[in-house]
Amino acid sequence: MIVPINLLNTANITYDITIDNLPQLRFDRKVVIITNPTISALHLETLLSKITATELNVVTIPDGEEYKTLHTVESILNQLFEHKLDRKSLLIAFGGGVIGDITGFTASLYQRGIDFIQIPTTLLSQVDASVGGKTGVNNSYGKNLIGAFYQPKAVYIDPIFLKTLPPREFSAGIAEVVKMAVMFDKSFFEFLKDANFHNENTIKEIIKKSVELKASVVNQDEKEAGIRAVLNYGHTFCHVIENETEYKKYLHGEAVAIGIVMANRLAIELGLFTQEEAQKINNFLTKHNLPTTYTIKNIDSFYEHFFLDKKSSNGSIKFILPQHIGNYKIVSDIKEEIIKKVLKSFGEI
Ligand SMILES: NC(=O)c1ccc[n+]([C@@H]2O[C@H](COP(=O)([O-])OP(=O)(O)OC[C@H]3O[C@@H](n4cnc5c(N)ncnc54)[C@H](O)[C@@H]3O)[C@@H](O)[C@H]2O)c1
């Protein structure tokens, strides 16, 4: 299955996202694989058996979001110089979203930009992070604040890698899948409700549909000037939750799940969504062991946090809300008391 990315309107770029068994890949140039020890122990041998190149090296970085930093980028760059990569060389991101984001960003920097390809190995990175060319790292001011839009030359998604993914990480990816279904495609949501995510053909279909939805958004709006913001459904709340819990309690996808529940409640308050629809989504999230509750201890400070989000502008918060399942509405003029009323419903009484 191939999903094309077509950015001819903006960047004159096209490439394919292939969802299938990883093919044999031959490169007439130097290649460096960027990965971490967890993925390397499980899958590097398989990857190496599929690649031939003029020269092939592996750079391993520590596992974890806390290493998605400029410091790690610099250490990778140094190793690329030691391997004497030239401007024709290629990087391969082999791992989850952290490896993908950091490899893409490093590729954008090395000698003003060299090619890279993505071979994502988590569900979240297969359905979301590897699609669309957002790359970057975190700093002390926040997540993904330093980065570049830098498209890969190709993305190869092989669901076989998911077999070793811890169940919590798998569920975190499901949150991003349901996000896309609720925003854009009611029949996809209905399909997901009863789908067995561990069936080989079903998961392939789910990945393909998710990638198609994200690709169609990216093709229209590579740099998030408009519709791409819809992919942030649930994320305005999620970012506050992640911040309040210091990125320790929840995986990103888990915080997205809670954010979706909160956004749905706000949509109900505005008459855009029904209780029954919200319940269907809660049931789905619960079925996949995703959290749906959160206790807001201080409503005012939770509310103030919205304004620190990089998506808020000129003191107005942009909420991406469902307008029934399968449609979205971007709303930016919601009264403070309405938002706080919704937040209070998550607070201690
Ligand atoms: N660029 C984008 O558009 C975009 C979109 C969404 C998220 N992101 C970013 O993605 C990151 C989160 O990605 P993630 O959820 O993949 O997390 P991750 O990259 O940290 O991977 C999660 C864990 O799973 C391990 N792992 C990876 N593949 C495995 C496998 N096949 N078997 C066993 N373990 C495996 C990793 O080593 C890690 O410990 C965040 O940094 C987020 O900002 C980027």
Side-chain angles (χ1 to χ4, degrees):
M1 298 170 179
I2 288 186
V3 180
I5 290 280
N6 183 338
L7 304 171
L8 287 178
N9 290 338
T10 50
N12 203 20
I13 290 173
T14 57
Y15 60 89
D16 286 341
I17 299 177
T18 306
I19 303 149
D20 215 331
N21 300 337
L22 189 63
Q24 287 292 333
L25 300 169
R26 282 175 222 294
F27 302 103
D28 198 8
R29 45 181 160 167
K30 286 187 174 186
V31 173
V32 169
I33 297 166
I34 316 284
T35 190
N36 74 31
T38 312
I39 301 146
S40 152
L42 294 164
H43 300 296
L44 185 61
E45 214 176 299
T46 307
L47 181 64
L48 291 176
S49 74
K50 301 274 186 177
I51 294 180
T52 43
T54 309
E55 189 184 308
L56 184 59
N57 286 291
V58 180
V59 167
T60 306
I61 61 172
D63 187 0
E65 183 77 33
E66 64 271 35
Y67 297 103
K68 201 175 128 178
T69 60
L70 278 178
H71 179 74
T72 307
V73 170
E74 190 172 17
S75 93
I76 299 171
L77 286 170
N78 286 339
Q79 294 180 70
L80 303 185
F81 286 111
E82 272 159 33
H83 291 306
K84 297 191 169 55
L85 293 204
D86 58 30
R87 299 203 60 204
K88 292 210 166 65
S89 303
L90 174 86
L91 301 188
I92 297 180
F94 187 49
V98 168
I99 293 283
D101 282 9
I102 209 166
T103 303
F105 187 48
T106 307
S108 79
L109 295 172
Y110 188 83
Q111 296 191 2
R112 298 201 178 86
I114 58 171
D115 291 348
F116 84 111
I117 65 174
Q118 293 260 24
I119 304 183
T121 60
T122 62
L123 183 58
L124 187 139
S125 59
Q126 296 195 345
V127 297
D128 190 352
S130 67
V131 181
K134 273 194 189 176
T135 73
V137 295
N138 310 324
N139 67 1
S140 58
Y141 293 90
K143 278 189 70 179
N144 301 321
L145 292 179
I146 300 171
F149 287 95
Y150 195 68
Q151 301 292 337
K153 285 289 155 194
V155 182
Y156 295 98
I157 298 176
D158 186 343
I160 192 95
F161 294 123
L162 303 179
K163 286 203 187 309
T164 57
L165 196 62
R168 243 186 109 187
E169 295 286 353
F170 195 93
S171 291
I174 295 177
E176 302 283 8
V177 172
V178 77
K179 167 192 86 177
M180 276 176 292
V182 176
M183 287 290 96
F184 300 114
D185 194 326
K186 183 167 187 213
S187 63
F188 185 36
F189 178 76
E190 294 301 327
F191 171 78
L192 291 176
K193 268 196 330 191
D194 305 315
N196 173 5
F197 279 67
H198 294 286
N199 173 288
E200 216 170 288
N201 289 328
T202 309
I203 192 68
K204 230 178 183 172
E205 269 311 312
I206 290 170
I207 293 169
K208 176 176 168 264
K209 187 72 202 168
S210 306
V211 168
E212 276 174 351
L213 287 172
K214 182 154 182 193
S216 101
V217 169
V218 170
N219 287 344
Q220 294 170 63
D221 177 25
E222 183 197 5
K223 300 214 167 142
E224 203 169 309
I227 190 179
R228 191 163 178 174
V230 174
L231 299 172
N232 295 318
Y233 166 46
H235 285 61
T236 307
F237 297 95
C238 154
H239 290 152
V240 184
I241 292 167
E242 287 182 312
N243 201 288
E244 283 196 347
T245 53
E246 294 170 346
Y247 298 91
K248 291 198 180 96
K249 185 165 180 194
Y250 300 107
L251 297 176
H252 176 66
E254 292 172 337
V256 168
I258 301 169
I260 285 175
V261 174
M262 290 181 168
N264 291 351
R265 214 173 278 179
L266 183 57
I268 293 171
E269 197 60 38
L270 298 174
L272 298 169
F273 211 52
T274 66
Q275 281 290 356
E276 293 70 37
E277 287 173 311
Q279 194 54 49
K280 273 189 197 175
I281 295 170
N282 280 24
N283 293 347
F284 176 85
L285 297 171
T286 306
K287 177 177 163 189
H288 292 286
N289 301 314
L290 286 160
T292 55
T293 57
Y294 181 79
T295 304
I296 300 176
K297 297 210 173 65
N298 185 326
I299 307 292
D300 290 332
S301 108
F302 196 99
Y303 180 79
E304 287 309 318
H305 246 113
F306 286 139
F307 296 95
L308 302 178
D309 197 289
K310 65 178 182 291
K311 308 269 170 1
S312 83
S313 65
N314 298 331
S316 113
I317 320 157
K318 198 160 61 176
F319 286 97
I320 313 295
L321 300 176
Q323 187 166 30
H324 301 300
I325 293 177
N327 290 299
Y328 63 86
K329 185 162 186 185
I330 303 175
V331 194
S332 52
D333 52 357
I334 307 174
K335 288 207 178 85
E336 181 176 334
E337 56 261 38
I338 295 184
I339 299 170
K340 285 195 172 167
K341 180 179 171 199
V342 170
L343 296 181
K344 269 187 197 132
S345 72
F346 289 88
E348 280 176 309
I349 304 158

